[in-house]
Amino acid sequence: MTTKDTAKDAFQRLRTRVEPRLANLQDRIAPLSQQLQQQLPNLTRSGPVGVQAGVHSIPLPPSRNSREGRRSVEEQRPGSAGSITRSKEGGNEKRVSAGDSKSGGDGAGDNTGDTDGKRDKTDRAPLLPLRPITRATALSWSPSLHTLASKILFRSGQCPISRGPLLILNAAAFPDATDIDYNLLLPYVLANLPSDAELEGAEGYSVVMFAGGGSAAVGSGGSVAGRPSWAWTLQAYHLLGRAVRKKIRRLWVVHEKAWVRVLFEMMAGVVSGKFRKKVVHVATLSDLAKQLTIQHLLIPPSAYIHNRKLEPAIILPTFPPPPVFGRPPFPTPRFGDPHPLPDVLTDATAYLRTPASLSTEGLFRIPASQTYLDILRDAYDRRQAVRWEDWGPHSAAAVIKLYYRLLPVPIIPTEFYEQLPDGSSEEEDRRRAWRLLKETLPVESRVLLLRHLIPLLALVAEKEEVNKMSAGNLAVCVAGGLVRGEDVRRDAEAGEGVRRLVELAVREVEELRPRLPLRREVEGGEGMKRKPGPVPAAASVDPVVRVKKEDTDPAKEVEKAEDAARRPSLPVSPSPVVVISQSQPAPPPPPPPAPVVVQQDQIPPSPTTTASVSPGTMSRRPSLQPPRHPPQLKRKTSVPALPVTIAPDPNHPGTFVRPQLRRVASANLEVKKREERRGSFPGVETLRPVGLRRGSAASGGGLGSLPERGDGEGSVGGGANGAVEKGIRRVRSAGVRELSLLYEERARSIKALETMKKP
Amino acid sequence: MPAIKKPMLKVIILGDSGVGKTSLMNQYVNKKFSASYKATIGADFLTKEVLVDDRLVTMQLWDTAGQERFQSLGVAFYRGADCCVLVYDVNNAKSFDTLDSWRDEFLIQASPRDPDSFPFVVLGNKIDVEEGKRQISQKRAMTFCQAKGGIPYFETSAKEAINVEQAFEVIARNALAQEESEEFSGDFQDPINIHLENESSGCGC
């Protein structure tokens, strides 16, 4: 049966089933046929059949061949790290070298010529000439469409039934049909589906569809008019691979709306009666929680907001975990790290550290939406995975502020008000501040301040020209949340001292670094990630903290580290805090590694600069800011990487120097200072070496590690794991660009075929 | 005619952080706009003498910090206010959405005698920013103000000094009217009863 017959059949069956609604449907279907009519002349006009430079030819019939074609794309992936394979339908294949595609903009035009040169002559399928791929069309890969599509359909861990991928389809993210050409959007959305190849091994996959929300979304949500046309839906279905069609195990539809019901009636008509059985309609998120572990789902904001209208709170079928907010920060000391930063802090911070977030004007000053804040608080109290890109940097900052404000013991307890810097003189202020931060404050406060808040604020303050948040500004915005005594008035007075304390600490964060109470010199995850060569087994495998007890003063330490950094032969972290020195007994054993992540923007604009970009860095790129295509290639090749190895620290036998990239050229002090400060930031993925390692594997192996994304663990955690996910998604997007062109062409060819068959 | 004591009008400026409360006040009082982006600490006030219908009044403008944490300090600051200015940023939808909660917060904390007639003024600030970035239309803001009992609405720019003078003139006038109505009703307040006679028995001498 041809696709046309299927479609026709579908309409027939639909007619009998949803007769009452059909009248209104008809005018939606009409545009499809109209569109086809219009395209027919174009297609026949578009030149002679055959291959010629610049003409994209697509073999027909598409159904079988294209599936194979697509599979071959997938199969190519593992071996094609750093290069993108474009597979022509019917077996034509070509490779785009990394260099070509990396050049982004202008590279695409050349690719077409390339294609023809390497064309496989064994192609016997009939060719249908389609519109020539001009520079403009080839370049039409649109980051904004990609972003849009990744909000409509995205992965969220593992299907509880089949162990295959679990996808989320967010109906509220469908843009207004008047704003966006749905036909252009389609390939981007489809590209987020699992490939046939991936599904071949798997038992199947499932989809959770959030049908509600939309207009109610705060900020940039969907719109009332936002919904796909019927023609589009049908077309989308026809473009699905066989495995994608057949292997769906369950489709949960949450917050159903009338139009969704109609859509499913229609789909059931097109697909089969079996499909209908796979669809489960669920009224609320609490109901959904009875069917699968919703804590692993990256539920979009619109769905939460819609859900709040339906039920006051999300109730889990299992006994709820103790809340995160308003609880002691370090309730259960774990092996290896007595003070793991709470997930809410690491997640939000990981997102805030992306360059796009850091350049948000008024970060930590502009308040977040209270609704978002409530939802996020509930979410973390529930241990819910959160995709921070959906919520925005202001929400992340607000969640961090809220967390600090709600701590059962405030960061600066009342009894320390007297010891706060009083502004009498600068030296006195500094002395008081340092004493508090290094000695007197409760250990929880010091850990949180020194390992999280201060370095994070320092990172924000560094971008002051862009985000306008100076150390002083940040201190004003944050200080209020660090005191919470009985007497509001006293708190307000103390607030001034806290403000001075925070401002000073943020400003002179470097001075605090040698004494950061908790540090670890070797990081399994980060070290692995960075290093292309072999690693000393101890460094990579053993995550156990190595403490070096010694009585040195911080200045000496700095000296040592700087000394080490100066050694040209040894790539060494410029950070002086390579080795932990625990000269004082108060702070408990050292913390997890403080990962040094080299941000792209941190590399000074010197032409001689050399830096390798760690995959972790890439994965932390903001996904709201659409990646330049293809993202990772560009970075990798733009600056040659120095080989980095983990080397034993010459100064401290038995310990290892954290590998970090050294710039070859002049290390002027200013730059170094900056790097140190960044390097010192210990916020985030410290606790997730596994995730980091995965990230490195994924990015290092290029497209090869894609199937791993189905793995539930990777997507659950948010934070580092989320970042890894993102990274992979981004790597994928490079391939997607190629793929989407194919999809687009294919859609046209199908249409053309149908139209030609009509008369 | 006896000289009436120069009235002191207390005006509170509220709104989310970063909408331009301090800048508006500075523009009005000092005729200056500073491009520096500084978060306000706690609360601060400036005074300005103005002529309202030939009467000289002193306006005490209270600039508050938009930070969440400082909101609980409201009671002390809000008491005795004669007018409340709600500021939002026309390019920031969220700051408009929170106007309502700022208004409620004020009414709860300041607990004016007659909440329904208490004068509010809404200012949509930062209209100098290019049109494309604007998120709240004039119409939408007007509708909101109408729904809240006809609150006067101005679109201002502290940077370009657009409409600032006009807005504060209305603020001053409304505040004065409020002050006078308060004074008038104040006469009927219960006098404090000291109970001197009853307590005299406690003294043995």
Side-chain angles (χ1 to χ4, degrees):
Chain A
M1 188 155 49
T2 67
T3 46
K4 177 196 161 200
D5 290 338
T6 322
K8 222 177 186 177
D9 232 46
F11 282 126
Q12 289 302 336
R13 270 184 281 173
L14 178 77
R15 191 183 288 273
T16 55
R17 233 172 248 149
V18 281
E19 192 66 81
R21 292 161 181 161
L22 205 65
N24 140 21
L25 275 183
Q26 286 293 353
D27 19 343
R28 289 177 194 286
I29 295 166
L32 171 68
S33 52
Q34 241 178 37
Q35 213 177 337
L36 287 175
Q37 296 293 342
Q38 282 164 5
Q39 274 197 354
L40 190 59
N42 290 344
L43 287 164
T44 43
R45 229 187 293 127
S46 68
V49 176
V51 181
Q52 70 179 57
V55 171
H56 222 34
S57 302
I58 293 222
L60 288 172
S63 47
R64 237 190 105 89
N65 284 337
S66 60
R67 276 203 296 274
E68 281 164 11
R70 218 166 343 139
R71 194 181 311 144
S72 69
V73 173
E74 295 298 325
E75 281 162 1
Q76 288 289 344
R77 283 184 170 173
S80 61
S83 74
I84 291 165
T85 306
R86 173 191 281 189
S87 161
K88 288 302 226 159
E89 312 206 350
N92 294 337
E93 278 166 20
K94 80 153 206 152
R95 256 159 203 271
V96 183
S97 76
D100 278 354
S101 50
K102 175 220 92 197
S103 54
D106 39 63
D110 312 331
N111 293 348
T112 329
D114 227 24
T115 315
D116 297 321
K118 294 180 188 168
R119 182 160 303 239
D120 184 355
K121 299 294 181 201
T122 59
D123 184 13
R124 291 281 175 272
L127 293 174
L128 178 79
L130 279 175
R131 100 206 127 98
I133 292 222
T134 60
R135 189 164 284 245
T137 53
L139 288 181
S140 66
W141 189 83
S142 145
S144 60
L145 281 180
H146 170 74
T147 313
L148 206 59
S150 69
K151 289 188 174 189
I152 294 173
L153 185 66
F154 54 93
R155 295 194 181 212
S156 178
Q158 196 177 38
C159 164
I161 298 171
S162 65
R163 304 280 145 212
L166 181 65
L167 291 139
I168 289 182
L169 179 62
N170 181 18
F174 279 118
D176 196 321
T178 53
D179 294 344
I180 291 285
D181 184 349
Y182 267 90
N183 291 327
L184 290 182
L185 183 64
L186 180 59
Y188 295 88
V189 177
L190 293 181
N192 291 339
L193 279 170
S195 65
D196 281 14
E198 186 183 343
L199 288 178
E200 217 149 71
E203 290 284 299
Y205 73 105
S206 294
V207 177
V208 178
M209 177 178 182
F210 294 105
S215 57
V218 181
S220 61
S223 69
V224 192
R227 67 187 212 190
S229 72
W230 301 107
W232 188 82
T233 316
L234 264 186
Q235 195 193 1
Y237 176 71
H238 285 308
L239 286 176
L240 298 180
R242 183 185 158 77
V244 175
R245 292 191 211 181
K246 296 292 174 198
K247 284 209 167 173
I248 182 162
R249 295 295 296 270
R250 189 77 86 239
L251 173 63
W252 288 279
V253 182
V254 191
H255 305 144
E256 187 186 47
K257 276 182 177 174
W259 72 268
V260 181
R261 173 72 79 168
V262 180
L263 184 90
F264 279 113
E265 290 299 329
M266 190 167 163
M267 288 299 276
V270 177
V271 187
S272 68
K274 265 190 283 177
F275 180 73
R276 190 192 299 269
K277 287 181 200 145
K278 293 175 180 174
V279 180
V280 180
H281 293 279
V282 179
T284 61
L285 288 176
S286 295
D287 288 346
L288 184 66
K290 290 173 194 155
Q291 311 231 355
L292 71 165
T293 326
I294 60 164
Q295 291 96 309
H296 298 176
L297 288 179
L298 302 168
I299 303 171
S302 54
Y304 280 119
I305 290 169
H306 189 79
N307 198 62
R308 283 160 72 94
K309 293 182 200 149
L310 304 173
E311 55 179 357
I314 299 169
I315 295 154
L316 300 179
T318 52
F319 193 72
V324 170
F325 286 86
R327 280 311 191 90
F330 310 114
T332 46
R334 271 183 270 163
F335 172 73
D337 181 14
H339 292 134
L341 285 179
D343 285 355
V344 55
L345 292 185
T346 53
D347 289 0
T349 311
Y351 172 59
L352 280 183
R353 292 180 64 196
T354 58
S357 302
L358 284 181
S359 5
T360 311
E361 184 178 311
L363 196 62
F364 280 96
R365 181 178 179 187
I366 308 283
S369 144
Q370 191 57 45
T371 318
Y372 273 25
L373 208 53
D374 292 347
I375 291 172
L376 286 167
R377 182 181 167 177
D378 286 352
Y380 272 98
D381 280 346
R382 202 170 46 232
R383 310 291 189 276
Q384 178 86 44
V386 169
R387 196 163 75 143
W388 275 101
E389 291 78 5
D390 294 342
W391 304 88
H394 291 313
S395 301
V399 161
I400 291 175
K401 286 205 289 186
L402 183 71
Y403 181 84
Y404 278 100
R405 202 160 64 224
L406 293 179
L407 283 174
V409 178
I411 289 286
I412 316 277
T414 330
E415 57 265 34
F416 294 95
Y417 286 0
E418 303 300 317
Q419 303 178 28
L420 287 167
D422 54 3
S424 52
S425 78
E426 208 169 306
E427 282 79 61
E428 174 65 9
D429 275 6
R430 185 168 293 120
R431 200 186 58 76
R432 284 177 168 235
W434 273 204
R435 204 171 107 77
L436 279 173
L437 288 174
K438 290 173 178 176
E439 292 161 38
T440 45
L441 279 178
V443 85
E444 286 83 8
S445 299
R446 277 186 291 143
V447 171
L448 284 174
L449 282 174
L450 292 179
R451 272 186 57 206
H452 178 255
L453 190 63
I454 301 293
L456 172 62
L457 294 182
L459 215 56
V460 176
E462 221 163 74
K463 289 244 181 150
E464 187 191 335
E465 325 83 65
V466 199
N467 60 32
K468 300 193 178 174
M469 295 304 288
S470 61
N473 251 344
L474 287 164
V476 171
C477 297
V478 166
L482 304 183
V483 285
R484 203 193 57 252
E486 300 286 305
D487 184 354
V488 183
R489 211 157 260 278
R490 240 191 114 202
D491 282 358
E493 283 158 23
E496 186 60 19
V498 179
R499 194 185 58 73
R500 281 198 197 96
L501 174 81
V502 174
E503 183 177 351
L504 216 72
V506 170
R507 236 180 229 147
E508 306 187 6
V509 69
E510 288 109 289
E511 281 204 31
L512 285 169
R513 293 186 58 248
R515 298 293 230 145
L516 289 188
L518 302 170
R519 283 192 152 256
R520 184 164 52 167
E521 73 274 43
V522 178
E523 308 108 34
E526 279 288 318
M528 289 269 297
K529 241 166 63 166
R530 192 142 302 180
K531 152 247 70 103
V535 204
S540 59
V541 179
D542 181 12
V544 180
V545 184
R546 253 169 270 262
V547 192
K548 184 133 175 92
K549 292 255 181 201
E550 56 175 342
D551 272 315
T552 44
D553 64 351
K556 241 186 190 169
E557 285 241 59
V558 176
E559 258 176 51
K560 263 187 211 164
E562 274 175 359
D563 191 9
R566 258 178 247 125
R567 251 170 265 266
S569 58
L570 193 67
V572 148
S573 157
S575 140
V577 204
V578 183
V579 178
I580 304 168
S581 142
Q582 287 243 309
S583 47
Q584 68 201 56
V596 178
V597 174
V598 180
Q599 303 277 358
Q600 166 98 64
D601 54 313
Q602 125 185 34
I603 299 160
S606 141
T608 43
T609 294
T610 301
S612 90
V613 177
S614 85
T617 312
M618 287 182 303
S619 65
R620 227 163 285 110
R621 299 182 64 208
S623 52
L624 278 185
Q625 187 192 40
R628 282 169 259 153
H629 61 262
Q632 81 290 15
L633 298 177
K634 179 151 194 169
R635 286 169 160 236
K636 238 175 206 158
T637 44
S638 59
V639 274
L642 269 189
V644 179
T645 49
I646 294 185
D649 186 341
N651 294 318
H652 308 283
T655 63
F656 287 88
V657 173
R658 179 177 343 141
Q660 213 203 356
L661 322 152
R662 281 300 287 161
R663 283 165 299 107
V664 191
S666 62
N668 77 51
L669 198 67
E670 185 51 37
V671 168
K672 198 166 127 208
K673 256 191 183 170
R674 257 200 336 197
E675 244 178 49
E676 276 173 20
R677 208 187 305 170
R678 281 223 177 77
S680 82
F681 183 75
V684 204
E685 30 330 78
T686 53
L687 308 175
R688 301 212 166 103
V690 178
L692 289 170
R693 240 175 261 135
R694 275 194 61 217
S696 76
S699 313
L703 301 163
S705 342
L706 284 177
E708 241 187 277
R709 296 187 62 243
D711 176 2
E713 189 204 326
S715 44
V716 167
N721 287 345
V724 171
E725 284 266 4
K726 260 183 272 160
I728 299 170
R729 227 175 284 143
R730 237 167 259 131
V731 172
R732 207 182 154 90
S733 73
V736 160
R737 175 175 153 250
E738 305 294 319
L739 211 57
S740 58
L741 278 175
L742 288 183
Y743 276 120
E744 211 175 321
E745 296 291 359
R746 190 167 161 218
R748 281 168 192 283
S749 62
I750 291 173
K751 267 195 222 162
L753 183 71
E754 282 180 16
T755 325
M756 283 193 296
K757 276 185 183 166
K758 240 173 221 167
Chain B
M1 187 175 164
I4 315 167
K5 139 183 109 143
K6 192 167 69 179
M8 167 78 88
L9 306 177
K10 184 171 177 181
V11 175
I12 311 280
I13 306 178
L14 296 179
D16 273 0
S17 16
V19 296
K21 298 178 291 295
T22 309
S23 296
L24 276 169
M25 194 173 86
N26 252 330
Q27 178 60 255
Y28 177 60
V29 176
N30 302 327
K31 304 269 180 286
K32 268 185 206 149
F33 177 79
S34 149
S36 73
Y37 187 85
K38 262 196 183 144
T40 308
I41 306 164
D44 196 9
F45 72 88
L46 290 176
T47 52
K48 184 176 168 105
E49 300 208 328
V50 279
L51 266 178
V52 182
D53 300 333
D54 297 331
R55 282 187 65 187
L56 191 65
V57 296
T58 309
M59 270 226 272
Q60 192 182 58
L61 295 163
W62 281 78
D63 175 30
T64 58
Q67 290 300 316
E68 312 89 313
R69 175 57 188 172
F70 293 115
Q71 286 169 19
S72 57
L73 295 175
V75 202
F77 297 134
Y78 299 170
R79 196 158 292 151
D82 296 306
C83 181
C84 176
V85 183
L86 302 171
V87 187
Y88 76 94
D89 174 357
V90 295
N91 312 301
N92 178 351
K94 209 167 55 209
S95 69
F96 178 76
D97 295 335
T98 47
L99 281 190
D100 212 18
S101 55
W102 278 113
R103 180 173 170 274
D104 292 346
E105 166 95 1
F106 175 82
L107 288 177
I108 292 167
Q109 304 257 18
S111 49
R113 204 170 315 242
D114 185 2
D116 294 331
S117 73
F118 188 87
F120 285 92
V121 174
V122 171
L123 305 184
N125 197 23
K126 303 197 191 178
I127 56 164
D128 53 283
V129 180
E130 59 198 277
E131 191 60 31
K133 287 190 178 170
R134 186 159 175 157
Q135 290 183 7
I136 300 295
S137 67
Q138 186 169 15
K139 199 175 151 204
R140 188 164 159 206
M142 297 278 235
T143 318
F144 169 84
C145 291
Q146 277 310 317
K148 297 291 166 193
I151 301 175
Y153 172 67
F154 292 90
E155 302 212 322
T156 59
S157 161
K159 188 178 180 185
E160 313 274 338
I162 302 169
N163 256 347
V164 177
E165 204 70 41
Q166 293 89 321
F168 277 93
E169 199 183 308
V170 170
I171 291 165
R173 186 163 293 135
N174 288 355
L176 185 61
Q178 171 71 9
E179 170 85 1
E180 280 170 347
S181 77
E182 292 264 310
E183 255 171 32
F184 180 69
S185 56
D187 292 345
F188 297 97
Q189 266 183 337
D190 291 338
I192 301 162
N193 194 345
I194 313 176
H195 298 294
L196 272 179
E197 309 85 42
N198 299 351
E199 282 168 28
S200 62
S201 60
C203 179
C205 47

